[in-house]
Amino acid sequence: MSRTTTIMSDYQKMAQQPDAASIILKLMMACNDMQTANEALSYWKEKRVQQPTGRAHGAGMYFIRLQISHLSEALKIIKKIKQNSYLLNLLNRCDGNTQNAFSQLEKVTKNTDEIHNKMIQLRSNIGFHYLETRSEEWIKKR
C-alpha cells in the first residue's frame, strides 16, 4: 500500500489565483489517478502470485498502460507549473525534498520530448483507443 498525505484545499484562496488553481487541481487529479492505478496494479500482482491467470496478467498490463497515460498527462502539468510565476514562487518556499522532487520531474520534461511523445502515442494507441491496424498487425504476428 502506498503512503499518501491528504491536504485540505482552501477554495477561497484558490479562487484568488484561478490560473494557478487550475494547474494545481489538474496535478492533484493526476496524482490521485496514478496512485489509484498503482494500487490496482499491486492488487492484481498479489492475486496473480496466488493464482496465475491470463486475466491477472491482462489486468496488470491494463494498469501499466493506464499509468503511462496518466503520467503523459502529468508531465504536461509540470511544464505548466514552470510557466506560472505564482506557482514557482510557492515552490521556492517549499522544503528541500519538495524542491528536489520537482527538479527531478523538470529534468524529465526537459530531456525527454521523444520519450514523452512515445508515451502520448502509447496513451492514444493502446491506453484509450483500440486501433484497427494495430489489432490486425497483432493477429498476423500470432
Side-chain angles (χ1 to χ4, degrees), residues 4-134:
T4 63
T5 302
T6 301
I7 299 172
M8 301 307 287
S9 300
D10 182 343
Y11 292 107
Q12 289 180 341
K13 193 171 185 178
M14 290 175 75
Q16 295 172 5
Q17 293 289 334
D19 292 339
S22 175
I23 295 168
I24 292 300
L25 185 60
K26 290 175 187 174
L27 181 62
M28 291 164 58
M29 292 170 63
C31 289
N32 283 339
D33 290 346
M34 288 175 18
Q35 191 268 340
T36 300
N38 194 44
E39 273 188 19
L41 176 62
S42 296
Y43 167 81
W44 281 98
K45 279 184 173 181
E46 290 170 13
K47 184 176 182 175
R48 188 168 175 215
V49 169
Q50 295 171 2
Q51 182 181 2
T53 65
R55 181 156 167 74
H57 179 72
M61 290 177 14
Y62 168 75
F63 287 111
I64 289 172
R65 290 193 314 264
L66 194 58
Q67 287 177 325
I68 289 170
S69 300
H70 291 312
L71 184 58
S72 72
E73 294 300 309
L75 289 177
K76 293 178 194 176
I77 299 166
I78 298 305
K79 287 182 178 182
K80 289 190 181 286
I81 291 172
K82 292 181 346 187
Q83 297 166 354
N84 187 291
S85 59
Y86 177 79
L87 292 176
L88 287 177
N89 185 36
L90 288 178
L91 182 64
N92 288 332
R93 295 183 356 216
C94 289
D95 63 84
N97 289 336
T98 301
Q99 290 181 24
N100 185 46
F102 185 83
S103 176
Q104 295 300 315
L105 288 170
E106 192 176 23
K107 287 178 188 175
V108 171
T109 64
K110 281 183 184 176
N111 301 325
T112 59
D113 281 341
E114 183 179 339
I115 292 171
H116 188 229
N117 288 338
K118 286 182 182 183
M119 288 172 57
I120 291 171
Q121 185 179 13
L122 277 171
R123 177 191 64 83
S124 296
N125 292 343
I126 64 174
F128 294 111
H129 303 290
Y130 306 107
L131 298 180
E132 293 300 323
T133 56
R134 300 281 184 193

